[in-house]
Structure formats: structure tokens, C-alpha cells
Amino acid sequence: MQTIQNLFAHMDWANRRLLEALRAATEEEAGKATALFLHLLLAERIWLTRLHGESSEALVLWADNADPAACAELIEANGSGFRAWLDALPEDRLNDPIAYRSQAGIPFETTARDILTHVALHGQYHRGQVNAALSTGGFEPAAVDYILYSRLIGNV
């Protein structure tokens, strides 16, 4: 359980660092990067909604209103939401199946452990894409590697 909690603490830290990098870029140049970042934050929100047993079908996965303010709001809500959910989850429930429907309404069951692993990996994938877009635009990418986070909090 500690490893998963660490992954989600890292996710929140990395999202905040990436937001700072996006804010340092001009809005025009950071457009694609911000759109990708908003997508990963919306995906986090969708999975958190599903973990709570609620329908995510009305939530959007891609949005046109990609701006740092919208991203900042989602970072706050997602970070506190996942922390609270993980704090309340007994470790022996990680392998329990979670029933949910995809955005298209298709029913699925996946273990909490696999959903959480997916959320962490999906975010890392897209943070890499956001950093690549920032770099291509001539802006400084954010250093968001897990090992950097681990060193900062003293785990390594």
C-alpha cells in the first residue's frame, strides 16, 4: 500500500511542477502542452469518480478550455480526492474488483490495484508528452521523475 500511496504523492507533486512549467510558457506556445495536461487531469478525475462508485459517463476526457487555472483546480481536487480515498482503503481491499462503465457506457470490472496502477502510469506517459511539447516550443520542461521526488522527500 505504501508504494501506491507514494506513487500518488509523486503524481500530485509532478502535476504541480508541470503546472509551474506551463505557467512559465506563453499561452500560445503552451497550447498543445496544456491540452494534453488537462486531458491527464480529466482522466484522473474520471477514475477517481469511478473508484467512488459513481458514473463518469457525463464527464469529458478531452476539453477545449485548457488553461492553467482549470488545471490548477483539477490538481487540487484530484490530489485531495486520491489521498482521502487511499487513506480510507484497507490494504486487503486493493485486489477487490471495482465495477464501472467506460465513457461509452460499456461495463467493466477491474481491481482497485490495477486501476490505481493505470492512473499512475497514464499520468506519467502524458507528463512526458507535455514536457516534449514544452521542449519543442522552446520552453524548459519540468523535471518530474520519481527518483527526484523520492530524493526530495528522503526515501532514497
Side-chain angles (χ1 to χ4, degrees):
M1 185 64 142
Q2 187 62 52
T3 298
I4 289 175
Q5 288 174 320
N6 288 349
L7 285 175
F8 277 79
H10 166 259
M11 183 176 80
D12 186 56
W13 172 85
N15 284 344
R16 291 171 191 279
R17 290 191 52 125
L18 204 50
L19 180 61
E20 291 173 23
L22 288 166
R23 285 181 168 156
T26 63
E27 189 174 319
E28 182 179 321
E29 293 292 330
K32 179 182 178 188
T34 306
L36 282 168
F37 189 50
L38 181 59
H39 162 72
L40 87 85
L41 296 170
L42 290 169
E44 288 175 7
R45 170 54 59 201
I46 285 169
W47 283 109
L48 184 58
T49 299
R50 291 171 179 169
L51 288 169
H52 282 289
E54 300 167 8
S55 174
S56 66
E57 293 175 65
L59 300 176
V60 296
L61 191 53
W62 293 95
D64 295 330
N65 63 333
D67 66 75
C71 292
E73 288 178 21
L74 279 167
I75 290 169
E76 291 300 323
N78 292 347
S80 63
F82 277 111
R83 262 189 313 280
W85 195 86
L86 287 167
D87 286 348
L89 180 70
E91 187 166 358
D92 64 352
R93 303 293 307 268
L94 273 172
N95 292 320
D96 286 0
I98 305 287
Y100 61 93
R101 291 185 177 274
S102 69
Q103 296 312 98
I106 301 167
F108 290 97
E109 270 194 11
T110 307
T111 66
R113 181 185 309 275
D114 285 342
I115 289 172
L116 294 167
T117 301
H118 167 73
V119 172
L121 293 174
H122 177 262
Q124 195 63 6
Y125 171 76
H126 284 303
R127 279 188 290 277
Q129 287 182 312
V130 171
N131 266 334
L134 282 171
S135 185
T136 299
F139 296 98
E140 188 69 28
V144 295
D145 287 341
Y146 182 83
I147 196 67
L148 299 174
Y149 167 77
S150 183
R151 289 173 186 153
L152 287 172
I153 63 165
N155 284 347
V156 174

